Amino acid sequence: MSWSLTASRLGRLGALWVGMMLASSADAGDLPPVREIFTSIPYGHLPIVSSKTNQPLSKDEKLKLIKVEDQKNGYLEIFGNADTDAFGGAQLAGFKMKGGGYLIGLRAEFGDSSHHIAILTNEGETWNDVTKDVLPEITMEMVDKRAQEKIPEFKRKKRKLSDSASGTYAYVLPRRGTTIEVIVSSDSYTGKRVVLWHLPFDGRKFALKP
């Protein structure tokens, strides 16, 4: 998923949660510094701009947004502030691939409406989106059906997450381990946390599991 949107257009779109996943392993000892990965992500994939200048944040300004840095597990959390316009926050997570190398990932929040994930590879200055190659497809029909299976009230009233005014589901990147979670994230549901699926990583691809 490539981002060529301006900050103002992002604001009009509402929320976009983007995950550009880093490749897989609880032991990320040979992963480059996660803070360097974060600051080197091109603007087209992570457009963080200043609400004061409407210009992309510098490397030093981006570093100030880091709140959790766990190099051992290849994990990073970034929080937006009053000067990051539509950008609310992000996660990086590391997953080591069989045969060597990493997928590179990020989940970023812009506003409050929908959730997406993208999986990237990185070689030098070249970034490629390999989402369709490594992540299972999840359709809204699948989400509606699964939500009714997991939430009795939805099944009883034949409610659909896709009818929500804001949000449906979200990807959650693991700080430890190699499994992404897909959870309900919608203004139409206020109950306890519901995991729709687990997406374990086998070193090459993520699978769709209950």
Side-chain angles (χ1 to χ4, degrees):
M1 178 179 295
S2 178
W3 289 61
S4 58
L5 303 174
T6 64
S8 59
R9 291 176 65 189
L10 283 169
R12 291 196 295 270
L13 283 175
L16 275 180
W17 283 86
V18 178
M20 298 183 311
M21 297 237 56
L22 284 173
S24 101
S25 168
D27 180 7
D30 58 345
L31 181 72
V34 287
R35 59 172 45 213
E36 291 184 10
I37 294 173
F38 165 54
T39 57
S40 67
I41 293 171
Y43 176 84
H45 293 295
L46 185 60
I48 307 177
V49 301
S50 167
S51 57
K52 297 177 182 177
T53 66
N54 202 34
Q55 297 297 314
L57 264 60
S58 67
K59 179 177 180 179
D60 288 341
E61 289 171 329
K62 289 181 180 179
L63 289 173
K64 293 178 182 179
L65 302 179
I66 297 174
K67 299 301 180 182
V68 177
E69 183 175 4
D70 183 352
Q71 181 63 35
K72 179 180 178 181
N73 291 298
Y75 181 85
L76 196 71
E77 286 185 17
I78 307 99
F79 288 10
N81 57 35
D83 188 40
T84 56
D85 199 58
F87 175 75
Q91 289 178 304
L92 289 171
F95 300 82
K96 188 174 182 178
M97 299 179 68
K98 289 182 178 178
Y102 288 82
L103 297 176
I104 298 185
L106 165 73
R107 186 189 77 170
E109 176 190 357
F110 292 91
D112 182 29
S113 66
S114 59
H115 298 265
H116 304 278
I117 195 168
I119 312 295
L120 306 179
T121 59
N122 171 234
E123 295 182 12
E125 297 183 358
T126 301
W127 295 71
N128 295 305
D129 187 333
V130 296
T131 307
K132 292 183 178 180
D133 298 324
V134 300
L135 266 191
E137 180 182 11
I138 296 177
T139 66
M140 283 312 307
E141 289 78 11
M142 292 169 61
V143 170
D144 285 335
K145 180 180 178 181
R146 186 65 172 165
Q148 289 182 359
E149 292 172 352
K150 300 284 286 188
I151 307 172
E153 180 184 0
F154 272 54
K155 182 176 183 180
R156 185 170 62 253
K157 296 183 178 181
K158 297 182 179 179
R159 294 173 60 185
K160 296 181 178 181
L161 277 179
S162 59
D163 292 335
S164 302
S166 178
T168 49
Y169 67 96
Y171 293 90
V172 179
L173 311 189
R175 180 168 179 174
R176 298 177 180 84
T178 61
T179 299
I180 304 169
E181 291 181 333
V182 181
I183 66 169
V184 172
S185 179
S186 167
D187 65 349
S188 66
Y189 177 74
T190 58
K192 66 179 183 179
R193 188 174 188 269
V194 173
V195 178
L196 299 174
W197 291 284
H198 297 87
L199 307 182
F201 186 67
D202 67 3
R204 295 186 179 88
K205 295 182 179 182
F206 295 88
L208 188 67
K209 300 290 184 180

